Amino acid sequence: MGSTDSKLNFRKAVIQLTTKTQPVEATDDAFWDQFWADTATSVQDVFALVPAAEIRAVREESPSNLATLCYKAVEKLVQGAESGCHSEKEKQIVLNCSRLLTRVLPYIFEDPDWRGFFWSTVPGAGRGGQGEEDDEHARPLAESLLLAIADLLFCPDFTVQSHRRSTVDSAEDVHSLDSCEYIWEAGVGFAHSPQPNYIHDMNRMELLKLLLTCFSEAMYLPPAPESGSTNPWVQFFCSTENRHALPLFTSLLNTVCAYDPVGYGIPYNHLLFSDYREPLVEEAAQVLIVTLDHDSASSASPTVDGTTTGTAMDDADPPGPENLFVNYLSRIHREEDFQFILKGIARLLSNPLLQTYLPNSTKKIQFHQELLVLFWKLCDFNKKFLFFVLKSSDVLDILVPILFFLNDARADQSRVGLMHIGVFILLLLSGERNFGVRLNKPYSIRVPMDIPVFTGTHADLLIVVFHKIITSGHQRLQPLFDCLLTIVVNVSPYLKSLSMVTANKLLHLLEAFSTTWFLFSAAQNHHLVFFLLEVFNNIIQYQFDGNSNLVYAIIRKRSIFHQLANLPTDPPTIHKALQRRRRTPEPLSRTGSQEGTSMEGSRPAAPAEPGTLKTSLVATPGIDKLTEKSQVSEDGTLRSLEPEPQQSLEDGSPAKGEPSQAWREQRRPSTSSASGQWSPTPEWVLSWKSKLPLQTIMRLLQVLVPQVEKICIDKYPSPRRGLTDESEILRFLQHGTLVGLLPVPHPILIRKYQANSGTAMWFRTYMWGVIYLRNVDPPVWYDTDVKLFEIQRV
């Protein structure tokens, strides 16, 4: 039968369904079979032939027909899984039912009255759940559907290569089949790489899309961090009830990490052959991150003892979540598995950067946001993986693409979520000493980025990109400034030699953040100055020897520190500073930032195209909620510091409620004016001014400035010269020492990332927002009533 005929018949069946107000009997096979038996419709066809308005009409006007349609479609999938889908007809029926359910499910989820439908044990509307003792009938429809999908994903000759030699051999029995022998790709825990098969990849992809649609019920519930909000679909699918949990987890992970979009290493190869693997890899990455959506703060995160065994996962069952996917992820421990995962993720994250050398030479992947979430989950749930990443300079293969994405997305409002996850990953990494140490490796690869040219290390790259984000990103990035500077503080004790470009950038930030109008215009702004002073103190105390560029920059800009020490606190000056602010709405003055020329081949960061869709995010917790202070002991171990009961960080005002809750509240009143606008008082300024950590820098200036001035006077007796002869002064500073002249070094403080329910909720909304926007062909959730986030046009 021609494809056009089958589409017409299918459309006819849909119209019949919407116009029949009388319930159609579930036994009326002639009617129901029209939806899946004869048709050869693609998933795009199904979306076009089943309009949203008609699905909603059936839902409202003949609910029993919609219920029977879902029940019958699930029944067909269960039958297909039972029989093993041997005939072409059975395969076609399974694919058609799978496409139909992918189309209909979002409309069931969007209606609160229908939400329990799949979790009821009633096979069809109006049927009593007869035969309660019959186990199969007692299963909720959702469970039957999920188990059928799992079976179908390991169905020989449908989604996996058959191991049978001949067709004479009886078909493989689905029930006795050990799906661990059918893992889709070599990698973690599996050495054999099956022959690529286009048809199998496409069939897997359709089933994974249905699975993702099942999980997407989460999109239709408003964000609520208080509820542990476990997704019942994910919870069941990742439980011991699913006998394929391990091979499926392994298949998804290996499929993503083994993918190489370059096309067997031959440039331009993707132009000759269409890459059917990429859609499967994208789908696999999305299903994987959704199954790993687990609040690590609220559950005992699986810890792993040091035992290693011959298997890919640790045998010692760690106490941990019932979610087997999280459990398996946390138990990977073999070096070669970590290497495979890290190399795979780094290769894919670097892929968009390769584009800039040979334009169009490699296929450009689009799923870097899913990869970042996956990398985050790996580091969060598997501490051994995190330590492995930081053990060698391989971590820089993750760092450089993240900095590239951050820099590229800084002007684009639709990519605020990408900016956040990139910064969160760097915050997590910066809590480990090894990350700071690795940053000293020279940066030589030169990815074309719209940043000033410099010669230096990966630390220089990080600080130069952060400076660019702060000075030329859009307004909505301001909440990230705390995070960006916390990362710099965390790595600062380990930075051996910053370039002159970087030193000037840091001083430019201090200059911008210490202007009176900026300090007095919001209750939290002075924290940024505290962070920068902490960076300077760490470098002077712990890395003075190699950092003559920074010391020189501090000496040249010494007036900033004197101004901070003499910050005015009287009401008229405060008032005057705020008046100036009304005239200058800029977040930062760009003067003195000596931008210099950008790197060759780079393009400026562009704002989003008008009309771009974006999804909203829940607020991110403040830096005090995101991190926990630890002190580095002399032997290098970390000791957690209890928050002071009445102090909010460096802020002198006692906080109400929790110790540090005051820190992030944007409009924390020290006094509120009649308009409710926050306004600073002399007492408030004094409360934190007295705590500014200026002693070390003031002592350094006191010792070095006279010596440096002497060099200049000796060389140029004319008084107009000042501190100008850079090379001479730098030579002097390189050989100078301040041993015994500075105050006793303060202990190193690290603010380590701390998971909490607020961040778990943020990741959930971000991840589903990404999945919503990335699934446009077919548009699975488009125009349905999602509640987890709002969809906006830029």
Side-chain angles (χ1 to χ4, degrees):
M1 177 171 67
S3 158
T4 323
D5 290 348
S6 65
K7 282 182 199 172
L8 284 172
N9 290 349
F10 180 73
R11 180 70 193 128
K12 205 169 72 205
V14 174
I15 292 167
Q16 283 177 322
L17 186 70
T18 43
T19 49
K20 281 187 194 294
T21 44
Q22 292 303 306
V24 182
E25 280 301 315
T27 48
D28 184 352
D29 287 340
F31 176 75
W32 297 111
D33 282 351
Q34 303 176 93
F35 288 96
W36 38 75
D38 317 318
T39 52
T41 46
S42 68
V43 66
Q44 285 78 6
D45 291 337
V46 171
F47 272 68
L49 298 171
V50 188
E54 294 183 19
I55 304 174
R56 289 192 177 111
V58 178
R59 188 183 70 195
E60 306 310 322
E61 288 146 39
S62 40
S64 74
N65 286 345
L66 181 60
T68 308
L69 180 73
C70 292
Y71 165 59
K72 296 290 286 184
V74 172
E75 187 181 57
K76 289 291 173 196
L77 290 180
V78 171
Q79 283 168 7
E82 292 279 308
S83 73
C85 275
H86 295 303
S87 68
E88 284 309 309
K89 186 178 168 73
E90 283 173 293
K91 291 173 187 170
Q92 197 57 61
I93 288 175
V94 162
L95 289 172
N96 286 334
C97 290
S98 162
R99 292 160 186 163
L100 197 58
L101 286 167
T102 301
R103 179 61 172 145
V104 170
L105 277 167
Y107 297 92
I108 288 187
F109 295 152
E110 75 174 2
D111 185 337
D113 295 340
W114 275 82
R115 213 160 280 142
F117 168 71
F118 270 88
W119 293 97
S120 61
T121 49
V122 188
R127 290 166 159 250
Q130 71 276 45
E132 272 305 299
E133 60 289 322
D134 178 357
D135 196 20
E136 258 329 290
H137 280 290
R139 255 206 200 289
L141 198 53
E143 294 187 3
S144 302
L145 172 56
L146 290 171
L147 293 176
I149 296 172
D151 280 339
L152 288 164
L153 285 167
F154 291 99
C155 190
D157 283 332
F158 180 51
T159 48
V160 292
Q161 212 74 47
S162 169
H163 290 181
R164 295 282 170 189
R165 289 284 162 272
S166 72
T167 43
V168 184
D169 237 346
S170 67
E172 283 149 293
D173 177 28
V174 185
H175 299 283
S176 61
L177 170 141
D178 175 5
S179 44
C180 284
E181 294 174 10
Y182 291 86
I183 288 169
W184 301 349
E185 188 58 70
V188 176
F190 193 66
H192 169 65
S193 197
Q195 269 306 106
N197 181 312
Y198 171 70
I199 306 290
H200 294 175
D201 274 4
M202 297 308 284
N203 294 344
R204 291 165 181 173
M205 195 191 81
E206 300 233 28
L207 290 164
L208 289 179
K209 201 173 276 303
L210 172 57
L211 189 57
L212 196 59
T213 310
C214 292
F215 294 160
S216 72
E217 187 178 5
M219 280 195 211
Y220 298 90
L221 303 169
E226 295 72 45
S227 66
S229 49
T230 42
N231 180 328
W233 294 84
V234 172
Q235 196 177 9
F236 178 79
F237 191 77
C238 298
S239 73
T240 48
E241 293 267 352
N242 178 358
R243 70 188 186 97
H244 304 291
L246 178 60
L248 191 59
F249 166 78
T250 313
S251 293
L252 295 173
L253 183 64
N254 292 354
T255 298
V256 173
C257 296
Y259 177 56
D260 185 358
V262 173
Y264 309 109
I266 308 163
Y268 301 98
N269 202 24
H270 69 290
L271 301 177
L272 308 177
F273 307 102
S274 75
D275 179 358
Y276 57 82
R277 203 83 226 242
E278 190 186 13
L280 173 68
V281 175
E282 278 190 20
E283 210 70 54
Q286 291 175 5
V287 169
L288 196 52
I289 60 178
V290 171
T291 53
L292 296 170
D293 176 23
H294 180 81
D295 186 347
S296 60
S298 66
S299 73
S301 194
T303 49
V304 185
D305 59 2
T307 59
T308 52
T309 56
T311 59
M313 316 289 166
D314 259 336
D315 277 357
D317 251 336
E322 297 70 68
N323 179 324
L324 290 178
F325 279 42
V326 173
N327 200 332
Y328 297 144
L329 186 78
S330 69
R331 286 164 49 191
I332 299 171
H333 64 277
R334 293 194 309 201
E335 296 257 315
E336 60 267 37
D337 290 337
F338 286 157
Q339 189 63 34
F340 165 75
I341 294 171
L342 180 59
K343 279 271 179 276
I345 292 178
R347 174 176 60 241
L348 291 170
L349 283 178
S350 307
N351 160 273
L353 286 58
L354 297 173
Q355 297 299 320
T356 38
Y357 298 119
L358 284 172
N360 305 323
S361 65
T362 59
K363 188 177 174 66
K364 187 168 183 176
I365 63 154
Q366 303 294 338
F367 56 99
H368 47 272
Q369 298 193 83
E370 293 93 320
L371 289 165
L372 290 173
V373 176
L374 177 59
F375 181 76
W376 170 270
K377 296 285 180 194
L378 280 155
C379 292
D380 197 18
F381 293 142
N382 191 322
K383 289 299 168 254
K384 284 188 170 179
F385 177 75
L386 177 61
F387 298 140
F388 176 85
V389 169
L390 293 166
K391 199 171 71 172
S392 72
S393 44
D394 286 353
V395 64
L396 303 174
D397 298 338
I398 299 286
L399 170 74
V400 172
I402 288 178
L403 292 174
F404 175 86
F405 294 132
L406 289 178
N407 184 57
D408 189 54
R410 67 178 192 269
D412 181 345
Q413 283 211 27
S414 69
R415 293 196 280 169
V416 177
L418 169 63
M419 297 294 295
H420 277 75
I421 188 169
V423 172
F424 286 161
I425 289 173
L426 299 183
L427 180 64
L428 180 72
L429 296 174
S430 75
E432 308 296 333
R433 172 182 177 275
N434 264 354
F435 181 64
V437 174
R438 299 284 162 243
L439 290 178
N440 290 308
K441 187 175 177 184
Y443 173 66
S444 51
I445 45 178
R446 300 277 167 252
V447 173
M449 275 194 228
D450 177 29
I451 52 171
V453 179
F454 67 89
T455 303
T457 64
H458 283 76
D460 292 300
L461 177 69
L462 177 117
I463 293 169
V464 167
V465 168
F466 283 9
H467 174 271
K468 193 89 181 186
I469 293 168
I470 291 170
T471 55
S472 65
H474 57 79
Q475 285 279 287
R476 288 186 55 206
L477 298 179
Q478 267 188 302
L480 279 178
F481 290 4
D482 283 340
C483 260
L484 292 167
L485 292 188
T486 298
I487 294 163
V488 181
V489 172
N490 281 349
V491 301
S492 59
Y494 312 109
L495 304 184
K496 293 192 185 310
S497 64
L498 293 179
S499 71
M500 190 60 92
V501 172
T502 309
N504 287 332
K505 296 296 178 209
L506 285 172
L507 268 298
H508 173 242
L509 288 180
L510 182 69
E511 190 172 23
F513 289 148
S514 57
T515 58
T516 47
W517 74 258
F518 185 79
L519 283 174
F520 297 161
S521 60
Q524 267 63 45
N525 284 354
H526 62 281
H527 292 302
L528 300 171
V529 169
F530 275 86
F531 283 141
L532 285 163
L533 292 176
E534 203 177 328
V535 170
F536 296 141
N537 287 339
N538 281 342
I539 293 178
I540 293 166
Q541 293 277 22
Y542 292 98
Q543 300 289 351
F544 178 82
D545 286 356
N547 274 299
S548 49
N549 288 328
L550 183 68
V551 174
Y552 177 58
I554 289 173
I555 292 173
R556 276 189 52 229
K557 291 280 189 181
R558 58 193 180 282
S559 60
I560 305 173
F561 301 97
H562 292 299
Q563 280 162 12
L564 273 172
N566 301 310
L567 195 69
T569 58
D570 58 296
T573 315
I574 293 175
H575 180 71
K576 208 163 108 192
L578 292 174
Q579 289 309 105
R580 188 172 331 134
R581 176 187 185 234
R582 307 228 154 74
R583 293 197 301 277
T584 345
E586 284 292 315
L588 282 178
S589 64
R590 294 196 186 12
T591 52
S593 121
Q594 318 101 356
E595 271 308 287
T597 51
S598 278
M599 297 177 75
E600 193 185 338
S602 67
R603 295 186 318 278
E609 293 284 317
T612 305
L613 285 184
K614 63 173 183 166
T615 53
S616 64
L617 291 160
V618 293
T620 43
I623 192 73
D624 57 327
K625 292 275 196 305
L626 270 178
T627 56
E628 179 182 79
K629 279 181 163 182
S630 308
Q631 199 169 314
V632 181
S633 317
E634 295 198 358
D635 61 357
T637 53
L638 286 179
R639 188 168 60 82
S640 185
L641 293 182
E642 288 305 311
E644 300 161 29
Q646 271 304 305
Q647 293 298 100
S648 130
L649 206 85
E650 293 89 0
D651 193 342
S653 56
K656 314 247 184 340
E658 292 174 57
S660 53
Q661 137 199 11
W663 196 18
R664 264 278 7 114
E665 289 170 16
Q666 236 15 70
R667 290 274 167 253
R668 166 83 183 168
S670 62
T671 61
S672 288
S673 58
S675 65
Q677 187 75 340
W678 181 83
S679 65
T681 62
E683 298 73 36
W684 172 79
V685 179
L686 278 167
S687 72
W688 55 261
K689 179 187 167 181
S690 60
K691 297 194 180 67
L692 283 167
L694 287 165
Q695 305 79 331
T696 301
I697 294 173
M698 289 311 197
R699 185 82 186 103
L700 171 137
L701 292 172
Q702 197 187 344
V703 174
L704 292 179
V705 170
Q707 299 181 327
V708 167
E709 282 179 335
K710 184 175 181 309
I711 295 175
C712 297
I713 291 164
D714 289 353
K715 193 152 189 211
Y716 309 102
S718 146
R720 306 204 59 76
R721 281 300 192 178
L723 304 180
T724 49
D725 188 22
E726 226 169 82
S727 54
E728 185 100 5
I729 296 166
L730 284 170
R731 251 200 311 281
F732 162 72
L733 292 174
Q734 269 158 5
H735 299 107
T737 172
L738 291 176
V739 175
L741 295 172
L742 294 179
V744 178
H746 56 285
I748 295 176
L749 268 191
I750 299 289
R751 292 175 182 83
K752 282 179 83 85
Y753 168 81
Q754 200 45 44
N756 60 48
S757 52
T759 48
M761 193 65 239
W762 185 89
F763 273 99
R764 185 168 302 132
T765 50
Y766 170 62
M767 170 184 79
W768 279 113
V770 168
I771 291 171
Y772 177 96
L773 293 173
R774 298 263 297 108
N775 282 274
V776 287
D777 182 27
V780 183
W781 299 281
Y782 189 67
D783 271 351
T784 60
D785 188 14
V786 294
K787 294 277 194 298
L788 185 62
F789 44 78
E790 288 169 25
I791 294 103
Q792 301 143 343
R793 277 188 192 280
V794 175

